Amino acid sequence: MPGVDVILGTAGFGEHGRITTTAFAKEFLDTFTSAGHFVVDTAYVYPGGFQGESETFLGNLDASSLGIQIDTKVRSFENNSHTPESIAKSVEVQFKRLRVSKVRTLYLHCPDRCTPFVDTHRAMNDLFLAGKFERFGLSNFKANEVEIFVKMAQDNKWVRPTVYQGIYNMFSRLSEQELFSVLHQYHINFFAFSPLAVGFFSNVRRGQEPPAGSRFDPNTRQGQRSRERYFKESFFDAIERIDTVSAKYGVSNNSIALRWLKHHSQLTDGDAIILGASKIPQLKENLASLSEGVLPEEILNVINEIWDSIKNDAPAYAR
Ligand SMILES: NC(=O)c1ccc[n+]([C@@H]2O[C@H](COP(=O)([O-])OP(=O)(O)OC[C@H]3O[C@@H](n4cnc5c(N)ncnc54)[C@H](OP(=O)(O)O)[C@@H]3O)[C@@H](O)[C@H]2O)c1
């Protein structure tokens, strides 16, 4: 069915993550599939720093036999992680964890600029020809790098990238400036991660410490990174403006964020929003927000004015 799709992010699955048992992870999958959605997003590296537990949980739950389609990302983030040998090894390990012989989407998680892209692309093409995945994905690449892969695909008749995964939310819109025109030109779908700015819209206020264990917990590496990205005066000013309009219209900030992405952002048919949640009520609330309609014009105007005031502080769309 055309429209913007919804995918369940599983970066929190794993003993060292936030959804720490397979029984709890199953609740997430059940809640998600009950709402009529069947694609999950994972990666070699999830949950961050503790490689593989998310994929292992999905494998233990035999997710693919529950009708769930899996998008995953090869081992990346290290120099030479995208040599043909490293990619083949990564996929072998991942498929064993996932207990699958193929996935829907196989992404390069971020650029490995030490390995020639042509070698990496040839390796991905070999895996595609061997039937290991249906869609070739790129994540966190720059627009001009996406064009390089498209051209290599054309020149060599190799599998072409058809999906790009990147950060996109009402406070992180830099992809609109140069990336989206490239994606549209080459018919590449965009799957948006961090749609709720890892909780910044609802869980953080100027001068208040978020609860221990939150995505902004300063005692975790992930929390420190999120604080560097979002704890900026311009962002705190911006969220106060969102608070004012959300109170006026009786809607939550997260509902505004998700409905903006679904109905008013530059996402189009075939694109997707990747939901992250650490609690079942959060997931239910987010799914409910996504079933709601368009936003009032006053809220849209505020979102656009805010973007003008924060764009210089916004996170880069690529690594
Ligand atoms: N390709 C990449 O490099 C990349 C990078 C990041 C993410 N991803 C993918 O995208 C998925 C989603 O990303 P994300 O986790 O950053 O998404 P997100 O939706 O921006 O953040 C999720 C966090 O927001 C908070 N939250 C969610 N719903 C809430 C609600 N209704 N009320 C209050 N707080 C709520 C929770 O924080 P607390 O847990 O603190 O309550 C939750 O952990 C990941 O699981 C992963 O699959 C990919």
Side-chain angles (χ1 to χ4, degrees), residues 4-66:
V4 174
D5 202 1
V6 183
I7 293 173
L8 179 66
T10 65
F13 283 18
E15 289 95 346
H16 294 89
R18 311 164 71 70
I19 294 128
T20 54
T21 63
T22 46
F24 193 17
K26 175 85 167 47
E27 266 191 79
F28 275 82
L29 297 184
D30 288 345
T31 304
F32 190 65
T33 53
S34 303
H37 304 294
F38 294 93
V39 182
V40 301
D41 181 73
T42 184
Y44 185 103
V45 75
Y46 293 161
F50 296 95
Q51 298 177 334
E53 292 170 6
S54 169
E55 291 180 331
T56 302
F57 273 26
L58 291 170
N60 290 346
L61 290 167
D62 211 356
S64 67
S65 76
L66 301 173

Side-chain angles (χ1 to χ4, degrees), residues 10-318:
T10 65
F13 283 18
E15 289 95 346
H16 294 89
R18 311 164 71 70
I19 294 128
T20 54
T21 63
T22 46
F24 193 17
K26 175 85 167 47
E27 266 191 79
F28 275 82
L29 297 184
D30 288 345
T31 304
F32 190 65
T33 53
S34 303
H37 304 294
F38 294 93
V39 182
V40 301
D41 181 73
T42 184
Y44 185 103
V45 75
Y46 293 161
F50 296 95
Q51 298 177 334
E53 292 170 6
S54 169
E55 291 180 331
T56 302
F57 273 26
L58 291 170
N60 290 346
L61 290 167
D62 211 356
S64 67
S65 76
L66 301 173
I68 289 170
Q69 294 184 292
I70 295 169
D71 293 348
T72 194
K73 315 178 194 81
V74 302
R75 182 174 184 143
S76 300
F77 299 104
E78 295 147 328
N79 292 344
N80 302 311
S81 51
H82 292 170
T83 63
E85 300 73 29
S86 307
I87 289 179
K89 180 74 194 154
S90 174
V91 169
E92 187 190 327
V93 169
Q94 291 179 271
F95 283 19
K96 210 169 275 171
R97 289 178 189 148
L98 286 163
R99 301 188 194 173
V100 295
S101 55
K102 74 181 287 191
V103 292
R104 186 183 80 144
T105 308
L106 190 67
Y107 291 94
L108 302 172
H109 203 152
C110 70
D112 163 20
R113 299 189 178 97
C114 292
T115 305
F117 283 178
V118 69
D119 293 348
T120 300
H121 200 159
R122 189 184 294 106
M124 292 299 281
N125 190 60
D126 287 347
L127 289 168
F128 178 72
L129 293 178
K132 303 288 187 190
F133 62 90
E134 290 164 23
R135 301 188 72 174
F136 173 23
L138 298 174
S139 183
N140 301 305
F141 281 74
K142 294 180 179 157
N144 69 310
E145 293 173 326
V146 173
E147 287 183 296
I148 291 171
F149 277 93
V150 169
K151 183 157 185 342
M152 285 190 294
Q154 285 166 349
D155 290 350
N156 298 292
K157 299 202 169 18
W158 286 343
V159 62
R160 70 177 193 91
T162 58
V163 48
Y164 180 102
Q165 186 175 136
I167 189 169
Y168 192 38
N169 61 55
M170 58 182 182
F171 286 11
S172 304
R173 298 172 59 178
L174 291 178
S175 47
E176 292 177 352
Q177 289 176 1
E178 57 175 23
L179 178 69
F180 283 173
S181 59
V182 169
L183 301 186
H184 293 158
Q185 185 180 353
Y186 297 113
H187 308 291
I188 298 172
N189 289 128
F190 183 88
F191 292 180
F193 71 72
S194 294
L196 298 178
V198 307
F200 186 83
F201 302 141
S202 54
N203 304 347
V204 168
R205 290 297 174 271
R206 197 192 308 268
Q208 283 173 22
E209 266 309 310
S214 98
R215 292 283 292 272
F216 293 95
D217 186 335
N219 299 313
T220 64
R221 214 180 55 180
Q222 186 185 53
Q224 287 158 11
R225 269 206 310 267
S226 299
R227 292 165 88 99
E228 277 164 26
R229 191 171 262 189
Y230 293 107
F231 278 28
K232 296 175 177 165
E233 288 308 311
S234 60
F235 277 37
F236 285 118
D237 290 344
I239 204 62
E240 284 172 8
R241 290 198 65 196
I242 297 285
D243 284 342
T244 305
V245 277
S246 60
K248 177 170 174 186
Y249 286 90
V251 289
S252 72
N253 291 3
N254 285 339
S255 170
I256 290 177
L258 292 173
R259 288 159 68 190
W260 176 79
L261 269 178
K262 180 166 174 184
H263 301 292
H264 308 284
S265 73
Q266 291 191 12
L267 297 184
T268 58
D269 282 358
D271 293 343
I273 298 168
I274 308 178
L275 289 179
S278 62
K279 301 170 189 75
I280 295 292
Q282 290 180 346
L283 178 59
K284 287 186 174 163
E285 186 186 318
N286 299 342
L287 290 167
S289 297
L290 283 168
S291 68
E292 289 164 13
V294 297
L295 292 167
E297 200 168 329
E298 183 181 356
I299 296 185
L300 296 177
N301 290 339
V302 168
I303 291 171
N304 287 331
E305 284 164 24
I306 283 175
W307 176 237
D308 281 335
S309 71
I310 62 172
K311 57 169 73 142
N312 291 337
D313 287 333
Y317 74 84

